[in-house]
Amino acid sequence: MNAVLPDVSLTDDAPFMTPLQWVGMQDIDLPITLTEPGYRRSLHACADAQVDLPAAHIKGIHMSRLYRLLDGLGEDALTPERIQQVLLAMIDSHRDCNSSSARIGLSFNLLVRRAALVSEALAGWKSYPVRLNAQLVQGRFSLRAEVVVEYSSTCPCSAALARQLVERRFLDDFPGDQPLNREEMASWLRRNATLATPHSQRSEARVSVGLEATDPSLALLALIDTIEAAVATPVQTAVKRADEQAFAALNGANLMFVEDAARRIQDALQAHFRAPRTQVKHLESLHPHDAVAWAE
């Protein structure tokens, strides 16, 4: 004979009659499958899942029901529609708690193979942190996808100051109006072009965009590619000297303040993505603090 196991969440009342906005779990490990143009991979994700608890007398929700629903999330390709379906099921599983809202957060790293700038058949892996925040509140679905992209930024002001020092050394070394030939100039540049160098640093763009349930995919790779094309100086993986030289040339051609980077990215996103939000951070090599900018 099987004994009936007690369930105090059903039999006991809450000691304090207070409705709760969100109740659930965080940091649940689970696999997901991401499929979109140019990308298909199974990934490890950490999930958060909560429902509202408006019924003040109910002691607790059914955590195991939420867990089982999330456990099935990785069986199919992750799409906005699939996420909405799980949110609807979460609410339906808690009708006895009078729940009408649910939310899911998913964090994972998108692993992408990137080719070197110029060296043929040379490539390496780059990881992009991703965060999906979805909620269904009073029947209204919302979903935002956030990605983090690293790039290099070289300070325009520092570059101008460095150029001035090189110019001064040139005028000191070649006073008057004596003629110069190309070989003399090339030799001088090899010795003095790096008399002063502008400061540059690894930088970070944290960008989020809105998605609709009807969108066929999350379009994460397209979002990342758009950001990297906008800044033009994404960090590299596998490189040879020729690639490092090409990267130096990209940095020289794309000097940018943090304000420039934020504007570049936001402008590129507005044409192709819904409600973009951009935050950029330059991890200054000149200062012990960071430079930041936001755009919405």
Side-chain angles (χ1 to χ4, degrees), residues 32 106 122 278 282:
I32 59 170
L106 288 171
L122 184 63
T278 300
H282 289 184

Side-chain angles (χ1 to χ4, degrees), residues 53-286:
L53 184 56
H57 66 284
I58 292 178
K59 190 171 183 65
I61 68 165
H62 311 288
M63 301 274 186
S64 62
R65 296 179 187 176
L66 298 183
Y67 187 92
R68 289 198 300 271
L69 289 169
L70 281 179
D71 193 39
L73 190 60
E75 295 175 357
D76 303 306
L78 190 66
T79 64
E81 182 182 17
R82 180 71 181 116
I83 294 171
Q84 184 188 45
Q85 290 170 353
V86 173
L87 290 170
L88 285 166
M90 288 168 60
I91 294 172
D92 190 59
S93 72
H94 282 73
R95 294 297 181 189
D96 54 350
C97 296
N98 295 335
S99 297
S100 61
S101 300
R103 67 180 184 182
I104 294 173
L106 288 171
S107 298
F108 53 92
N109 286 337
L110 195 69
L111 193 61
V112 183
R113 192 156 179 82
R114 293 301 202 189
L117 287 173
V118 295
S119 296
E120 294 185 5
L122 184 63
W125 293 99
K126 192 187 294 187
S127 180
Y128 299 90
V130 176
R131 174 75 180 181
L132 303 177
N133 288 307
Q135 63 179 25
L136 189 61
V137 177
Q138 303 300 322
R140 182 178 179 183
F141 174 72
S142 66
L143 171 61
R144 292 195 68 84
E146 179 184 278
V147 299
V148 179
V149 175
E150 290 184 327
Y151 62 97
S152 175
S153 61
T154 301
C155 175
C157 180
S158 180
L161 295 171
R163 287 194 300 268
Q164 185 186 57
L165 288 176
V166 175
E167 178 188 9
R168 287 176 179 174
R169 173 65 63 86
F170 176 80
L171 294 175
D172 289 342
D173 289 353
F174 298 98
D177 297 323
Q178 69 268 34
L180 300 173
N181 60 47
R182 294 178 63 191
E183 288 73 19
E184 286 179 307
M185 283 298 305
S187 175
W188 187 91
L189 286 171
R190 281 193 297 272
R191 297 192 310 271
N192 297 280
T194 54
L195 170 69
T197 59
H199 73 80
S200 60
Q201 53 272 318
R202 187 183 298 175
S203 304
E204 175 187 283
R206 185 176 297 271
V207 173
S208 72
V209 296
L211 294 163
E212 299 289 345
T214 53
D215 289 337
S217 76
L218 298 168
L220 296 174
L221 195 57
L223 175 59
I224 291 167
D225 288 344
T226 300
I227 297 166
E228 290 193 337
V231 294
T233 54
V235 297
Q236 302 297 301
T237 55
V239 297
K240 293 182 178 180
R241 280 176 293 177
D243 305 293
E244 189 170 354
Q245 186 179 61
F247 187 65
L250 283 174
N251 276 268
N254 292 278
L255 305 175
M256 63 184 111
F257 290 130
V258 70
E259 297 92 336
D260 298 319
R263 288 168 173 148
R264 279 188 181 201
I265 295 169
Q266 189 72 2
D267 184 67
L269 293 173
Q270 285 175 340
H272 305 288
F273 297 92
R274 296 185 187 92
R277 299 172 186 167
T278 300
Q279 177 191 352
V280 295
K281 180 190 296 185
H282 289 184
L283 285 69
E284 294 284 327
S285 61
L286 173 64

Side-chain angles (χ1 to χ4, degrees), residues 4-15 57-62:
V4 177
L5 301 177
D7 187 350
V8 297
S9 66
L10 294 177
T11 58
D12 293 9
D13 286 337
H57 66 284
I58 292 178
K59 190 171 183 65
I61 68 165
H62 311 288

